[in-house]
Amino acid sequence: MEAKNSIIHVILTGGVGSRLWPLSRKSQPKQYLEIFENKSLFEMTVQRNSHLADKVMVVGNVDNHHLSGKVMDKTKTTYLNIVEATPRNTAAAIAFAAFASDPDDILIITPSDHIIDKMDDYNNAIQEAVKKANEGFIVTFGIIPTKPETGYGYIESKGDKVLSFREKPNETTAKEFIARGNFLWNSGMFCFKAGVLLDELKQFQPEVYEKSKAVWEANEKGLLNLDLSMEIPSISIDYAVMERSKKIKVVPASFSWSDLGSFESVYDYLVSKGHPIDKNGNMVIGSGKHTTFLGLKNTIFVYTDTANLILQKENSQDVKDIYSELEKINSDLLN
């Protein structure tokens, strides 16, 4: 390829992981927990993409960028650090990365808290996306679903054409999507030329574009200004660009993928790696102490020094409600 543009891996790492409380705290969000074969999801994200990109950017926030820094030092990765003063959702986070790049640079945007296996399929999907990005398209990655999942958004597609984006469905709708056969899980991963994305953002969300640009231009060594940041509308990239642009393509991908957004998905992952469960499917996370479950099935016991959680695996999506309740009373248990 004659193009002089760089391929830049942009890692988004602003989230807290409220559905994995009490393991995940504000001081130690889920992407930094070293519970995945003694590595964190963030470290696995860095390593997975290290051979695919020329440069790396990390878009984090004031509360956790020191944690990113430790991983980048550990993996000896040179990177541009963009530190948000306050979370403004994914449209702004991605805009900062695009403003920090040359217009023809190709950005591969990945969250930092996903598990991905079948690396040959993954690498093929990335190469396909880079090719389409070079042609001026904004590419989203749709995962071929393995079950009717209510925790993910969906992409309705025909070949590489996106017909619609759908919010997280209820159980009935999810089953309907799977039965129809042309729905993919929305992975939250993207690939595009920086300039193409910014042009579309400017067209569809001029305020996000202008305010993000002002914030980036005032940055000091990647640190963003709080007062200016507060003026940026908090909008997701899906809503700002993906659902409106005519330049969207989807790469249907068959690599195995999970956003580990719930204890149910963490449970499934740990079981696949040989983590012990008893004969009734009960699991302990976070403690090596002998624990006996009596009369319980598919129960997860989550142990930490300051808080424990005991839940039915099927109720994993409700953990965020506990987090919200603790947030209302400003509990120290979130820190």
Side-chain angles (χ1 to χ4, degrees):
M1 202 164 43
E2 289 179 16
K4 294 282 189 288
N5 52 350
S6 297
I7 295 180
I8 302 173
H9 178 211
V10 179
I11 307 174
L12 304 181
T13 182
V16 176
S18 57
R19 288 179 294 178
L20 292 190
W21 182 88
L23 279 185
S24 188
R25 310 285 182 105
K26 286 178 179 171
S27 60
Q28 193 76 0
K30 72 167 176 176
Q31 57 268 34
Y32 301 106
L33 298 171
E34 292 189 343
I35 59 171
F36 307 98
E37 296 153 73
N38 295 319
K39 288 183 183 175
S40 66
L41 295 170
F42 184 92
E43 182 178 342
M44 290 158 81
T45 304
V46 174
Q47 290 178 331
R48 179 188 314 131
N49 295 281
S50 59
H51 66 291
L52 298 171
D54 312 311
K55 299 179 186 172
V56 180
M57 289 184 194
V58 176
V59 185
N61 61 38
V62 282
D63 295 330
N64 70 19
H65 75 104
H66 64 288
L67 297 171
S68 312
K70 281 183 190 167
V71 177
M72 300 311 259
D73 289 347
K74 179 182 171 186
T75 57
K76 298 183 171 55
T77 307
T78 308
Y79 70 112
L80 175 70
N81 195 21
I82 299 175
V83 183
E84 293 187 284
T86 181
R88 298 322 280 159
N89 214 318
T90 49
I94 289 171
F96 299 141
F99 282 124
S101 309
D102 290 333
D104 278 339
D105 286 344
I106 288 183
L107 274 48
I108 299 168
I109 312 280
T110 73
S112 59
D113 54 358
H114 291 181
I115 281 280
I116 288 173
D117 281 322
K118 298 187 187 164
M119 290 316 296
D120 286 349
D121 291 340
Y122 178 75
N123 294 339
N124 291 340
I126 294 282
Q127 300 304 343
E128 174 77 7
V130 168
K131 190 165 139 260
K132 289 183 192 296
N134 260 319
E135 294 165 3
F137 293 108
I138 295 172
V139 184
T140 180
F141 294 81
I143 310 298
I144 297 164
T146 53
K147 60 178 181 181
E149 171 64 63
T150 59
Y152 303 149
Y154 284 74
I155 298 167
E156 184 184 7
S157 64
K158 185 177 183 182
D160 67 356
K161 281 171 61 175
V162 174
L163 303 179
S164 70
F165 286 89
R166 303 294 184 92
E167 297 294 321
K168 295 174 183 176
N170 61 26
E171 186 77 27
T172 311
T173 309
K175 284 177 176 164
E176 194 183 300
F177 286 173
I178 302 301
R180 282 167 63 180
N182 66 326
F183 281 81
L184 305 165
W185 288 337
N186 187 351
S187 70
M189 291 171 52
F190 309 102
C191 181
F192 46 74
K193 283 187 180 176
V196 171
L197 187 281
L198 289 174
D199 287 347
E200 296 295 274
L201 184 64
K202 188 176 187 177
Q203 181 184 340
F204 296 113
Q205 288 288 340
E207 193 181 359
V208 175
Y209 175 89
E210 295 296 348
K211 297 276 168 73
S212 300
K213 187 169 188 241
V215 169
W216 179 249
E217 286 172 350
N219 88 83
E220 294 182 24
K221 294 181 180 168
L223 294 166
L224 306 184
N225 178 284
L226 177 60
D227 292 337
L228 290 174
S229 296
M230 292 299 285
E231 294 182 17
I232 304 172
S234 179
I235 296 174
S236 74
I237 194 69
D238 281 11
Y239 176 74
V241 174
M242 300 297 154
E243 294 176 11
R244 301 174 179 203
S245 171
K246 297 282 182 279
K247 295 183 177 177
I248 309 297
K249 293 283 185 190
V250 63
V251 171
S254 51
F255 53 84
S256 71
W257 172 90
S258 168
D259 75 346
L260 291 189
S262 70
F263 277 113
E264 183 165 17
S265 50
V266 171
Y267 176 103
D268 291 343
Y269 175 75
L270 291 176
V271 167
S272 78
K273 295 296 177 187
H275 190 93
I277 50 175
D278 71 11
K279 66 179 191 296
N280 291 315
N282 301 303
M283 175 185 283
V284 179
I285 299 175
S287 171
K289 288 180 182 170
H290 178 76
T291 306
T292 304
F293 296 84
L294 195 58
L296 299 170
K297 283 185 177 176
N298 297 331
T299 301
I300 307 172
F301 173 42
V302 185
Y303 175 88
T304 73
D305 288 344
T306 54
N308 297 330
L309 173 68
I310 299 163
L311 72 149
Q312 263 328 127
K313 181 158 68 92
E314 296 74 27
N315 291 72
S316 293
Q317 294 291 347
D318 301 332
V319 174
K320 63 180 182 300
D321 300 337
I322 300 170
Y323 190 96
S324 301
E325 290 300 316
L326 291 169
E327 211 165 25
K328 281 179 196 160
I329 59 170
N330 212 6
S331 171
D332 286 346
L333 293 174
L334 298 184
N335 297 331

